[in-house]
Amino acid sequence: MQITKNNGHLNILACVKWKTPGFEINDLGYMQQADQMLSVIWAGYNVWDPKGIYRRWNINGDIYLVNNFGGDIMAKGIEWNGNMGFRNYWSAWTGGNFDLGGLSSDNLRGGPIMKYPGSINGRAGFSTDYRKKIVLEYFINGNLGFEESHNSMYTELSINFKPTDYLSFSLSPEFSKSQSDLQYVTKTSYNGNDRYIFGSIDRKTLSASLRVSFNLSPDLTLQYWGQPYVASGKYYDYKMISDPLAERQSDRYWTYTPVQTEYDIEANRYYIDEDNSGTSDYSFGNNNFNYQFWLSNLVIRWEYDPGSSVYIVWSQSRNFYNGSGRLDYFNDLGDLFNKDNNIPHNVFLIKFSYRFGLK
């Protein structure tokens, strides 16, 4: 249900959306969460008359509140965005949000509701004149959690080069890193009570997408896309959730001491002696990871008759894994393309279509 004003420079929206606890549509499409009511008040201001250095600009922001049908406030916060198009056809944008914290029904993967600390997020980017042969676009996003609970950074640079009307190249490297005090590991039991095990984690991801489009003729085109992707995560300071609704983040969990923790390198498992009796009470695996992927597609399309085409496709994928938890990009790529580590998976396809005319 919503009320809007969407004419003129000033636009306003107020809406309420809800998903009842029994609402379930996963036979039709994936739905993350029900039992939710979202209330939003949004306003935006647009200027489209060129003046000074700009051609147009826009700002908008909203206040939101999320609660469940039991009356619990699950989330609340403020969001804002702004963008400007300049007379030289460059553009810039920024935005962010201020999350005031709330409750999560999925942090414990089906367990009790758990409080989470708020955070502040900021993002900014720009792009150069899209009419030029070389176009650059840059974006950066950062997030800082309250109570030193987590932090993250993501950045992307896109370079587009079009030397002629029939040939174009694009390269988009991306890098992200994050640190969190609470990353879900597993659920176990001890003396008939559930134990929700978490760990601190440092994550890093580095990837790059290369795309080439070559129009040999209006009827014959070649397109290529390839992406190396490496992601790593290292766990440490394992802990169990002791009081999920405690007021402070540090009071919601209890970190295992070195005396309580023993690592078996051969089994690649941690054994926990919770009661300090000298005997292991439960265990869980070491989840450190380093995933390496290579994905690529080459597509040749020939329209031999109007509406009738032939597609020739070559798709290749590679993947490799190690449990180091460290990102070493060039060595990781060497492992990925080492024929002794893995064999590439190649798929070749030919698709033929013919258009029958009906008179």
Side-chain angles (χ1 to χ4, degrees), residues 98-129:
F98 186 39
D99 183 351
L100 298 175
L103 301 171
S104 171
S105 60
D106 54 13
N107 273 5
L108 299 185
R109 308 301 195 271
I113 281 180
M114 183 175 176
K115 276 191 175 183
Y116 71 89
S119 64
I120 186 168
N121 170 276
R123 54 189 178 271
F126 73 89
S127 63
T128 62
D129 187 349

Side-chain angles (χ1 to χ4, degrees), residues 247-265:
E247 196 62 32
R248 297 174 54 197
Q249 167 86 346
S250 58
D251 293 334
R252 294 169 198 150
Y253 58 81
W254 173 36
T255 304
Y256 298 117
T257 67
V259 175
Q260 293 174 306
T261 308
E262 180 182 357
Y263 176 61
D264 186 333
I265 190 170

Side-chain angles (χ1 to χ4, degrees), residues 130-144:
Y130 63 88
R131 304 171 302 171
K132 303 295 185 181
K133 290 182 179 293
I134 298 179
V135 180
L136 301 179
E137 185 172 329
Y138 178 73
F139 175 77
I140 187 169
N141 177 49
N143 186 285
L144 181 63

Side-chain angles (χ1 to χ4, degrees), residues 16 19 31 53 177 295 342:
V16 178
K19 302 173 187 176
M31 184 179 70
I53 63 171
K177 65 176 183 178
L295 303 171
N342 70 84

Side-chain angles (χ1 to χ4, degrees), residues 49-100:
D49 300 318
K51 185 178 181 181
I53 63 171
Y54 66 82
R55 296 170 46 245
R56 56 171 178 77
W57 61 267
N58 164 270
I59 57 171
N60 62 75
D62 67 81
I63 300 173
Y64 65 89
L65 176 70
V66 180
N67 59 274
N68 62 21
F69 279 74
D72 300 312
I73 297 177
M74 308 300 290
K76 52 186 180 294
I78 303 170
E79 299 174 314
W80 63 91
N81 294 282
N83 62 77
M84 179 174 288
F86 299 96
R87 284 187 176 270
N88 62 357
Y89 287 91
W90 284 43
S91 61
W93 57 90
T94 187
N97 69 281
F98 186 39
D99 183 351
L100 298 175

